[in-house]
Amino acid sequence: KMNKPVLERIELEASMRTALANNEFILYYQPKVPLFGETRFEFETLMRWVHPEKGMISPGLFIPLAEDSGYIQTLGDWAIEQTCRQIEFWNRKGYKNVTVSTNLSPVQLNYGNPLHTIKQALGNFDIRPEQLEIEITESGLMQNEKHAVALLNEIKSLGVRIALDDFGTGYSSLSQLKKLPVSELKIDKSFVQDVMKEREDASLVKAIINMAHSLGLSVIAEGVEEEAQTHFLQQEGCDYSQGYFYSRPMPENEFQEWLKT
Ligand code: C2E
Ligand code: CA
Ligand code: CA
């Protein structure tokens, strides 16, 4: 008597458990482009599920499923390990200045042991801790703030960088921001998308850039699709920019080519 969406969800959840062993999960890479001079290569990993029957499944669909079922712990650990393995690979290829960020689910942050996973990965692979960055969302911090902040402080003390993703959408208070061991704010793409159309969005983006800088943080805009947006961001002093305008997230082989250019 179950309806189709519920059934599909259950099926997907079940097939997720064998997907990792079958190498169906892969990482895509999207560049974070410096707006002022060349500093270092930075990228974000974005997960994809190449399902044998359904084809490519987006993380917007399977990450929430993995979070509900608890499988995100296994999957999230894999993403951290895979990211570090890939950094080591690029280091060996001679691209020693690469920094890669990976998304950490609120569920991992609040109920998992990402510190252990990160320590282990840093020990197993020949990379520098500052080459790894984790992206967390404001909403992820609100469930159990004390625990999350303590954990992030430990992660930071390893030398790993922390970015606050989707910034501006999570209603976090500024007094909370002051306490967080983050080194970068990522302005949510909903503000960036209308920056040339809506005066309010332009004002908010400007305000976030200024606030980030006065707190000594670097700032990046995501979801940049048009040239005019990059000019605006540059004019306002935004440090990094990311979006389809520069490049879509790419699989490893394409990305390898991109690195060479
Ligand atoms: P996010 O971390 O905010 O990632 C940004 C999303 O915007 C990505 O979608 C990216 O492909 C997309 N994007 C990049 N540039 C543009 C642009 O110019 N315009 C537009 N409209 N979109 C752009 P994607 O890859 O589908 O990922 C969706 C979300 O799934 C991510 O949002 C993140 O929350 C989650 N996710 C992805 N990979 C992982 C992962 O390994 N672990 C965890 N926990 N979550 C992940
Ligand atoms: Ca992200
Ligand atoms: Ca984001």
Side-chain angles (χ1 to χ4, degrees):
K1 278 196 190 147
M2 273 184 205
N3 60 21
K4 210 169 157 234
V6 175
L7 208 62
E8 263 176 357
R9 197 186 146 100
I10 291 172
E11 268 175 20
L12 215 54
E13 229 176 78
S15 59
M16 201 182 279
R17 303 203 165 259
T18 52
L20 201 54
N22 295 341
N23 296 319
E24 291 169 23
F25 290 106
I26 52 171
L27 295 182
Y28 269 41
Y29 302 88
Q30 190 183 33
K32 297 173 162 186
V33 179
L35 288 172
F36 296 95
E38 183 47 47
T39 42
R40 58 186 160 204
F41 290 114
E42 292 206 24
F43 313 96
E44 175 178 6
T45 64
L46 293 154
M47 212 189 281
R48 299 288 179 264
W49 180 4
V50 189
H51 194 282
E53 286 134 38
K54 297 178 200 294
M56 186 84 90
I57 306 178
S58 102
L61 190 77
F62 70 78
I63 294 283
L65 280 185
E67 287 176 339
D68 286 351
S69 66
Y71 192 64
I72 192 69
Q73 306 297 354
T74 309
L75 200 54
D77 284 352
W78 174 82
I80 293 169
E81 201 189 284
Q82 186 62 20
T83 300
C84 293
R85 176 177 291 119
Q86 196 62 43
I87 301 173
E88 180 186 71
F89 175 78
W90 286 321
N91 281 350
R92 294 212 169 130
K93 287 240 162 192
Y95 306 108
K96 292 234 157 63
N97 224 1
V98 171
T99 303
V100 188
S101 65
T102 183
N103 292 285
L104 198 68
S105 153
V107 178
Q108 275 172 282
L109 192 65
N110 289 300
Y111 307 105
N113 195 352
L115 179 68
H116 174 76
T117 310
I118 292 170
K119 269 190 188 160
Q120 209 168 31
L122 290 177
N124 286 346
F125 299 102
D126 187 13
I127 68 172
R128 301 185 308 281
E130 43 321 333
Q131 290 187 281
L132 180 68
E133 180 173 66
I134 59 164
E135 297 193 4
I136 50 158
T137 55
E138 292 172 87
S139 49
L141 294 168
M142 289 191 308
Q143 297 168 15
N144 187 352
E145 194 195 326
K146 262 210 172 117
H147 168 77
V149 172
L151 191 61
L152 291 175
N153 272 313
E154 291 205 60
I155 292 174
K156 191 193 176 182
S157 71
L158 299 173
V160 172
R161 291 155 46 89
I162 300 166
L164 198 52
D165 206 352
D166 303 344
F167 186 76
T169 59
Y171 307 106
S172 77
S173 70
L174 297 180
S175 61
Q176 189 195 30
L177 183 61
K178 200 180 65 179
K179 280 185 279 177
L180 292 178
V182 296
S183 48
E184 184 170 77
L185 297 187
K186 284 193 93 167
I187 307 175
D188 189 67
K189 55 179 177 297
S190 60
F191 302 112
V192 178
Q193 254 143 23
D194 289 329
V195 90
M196 303 312 291
K197 285 176 250 154
E198 306 279 346
R199 217 164 47 114
E200 288 83 0
D201 288 293
S203 303
L204 280 171
V205 168
K206 276 188 204 180
I208 297 174
I209 294 170
N210 289 331
M211 183 183 66
H213 287 161
S214 35
L215 289 171
L217 308 175
S218 89
V219 60
I220 172 164
E222 66 174 4
V224 176
E225 295 182 358
E226 296 159 16
E227 189 159 21
Q229 295 165 342
T230 74
H231 292 318
F232 174 86
L233 292 164
Q234 201 160 29
Q235 191 187 315
E236 297 307 324
C238 190
D239 303 297
Y240 284 84
S241 177
Q242 184 182 18
Y244 297 163
F245 174 68
Y246 307 96
S247 165
R248 290 189 172 255
M250 297 172 270
E252 211 267 320
N253 56 339
E254 264 178 54
F255 188 68
Q256 190 75 28
E257 290 303 306
W258 196 91
L259 268 180
K260 285 183 195 154
T261 59

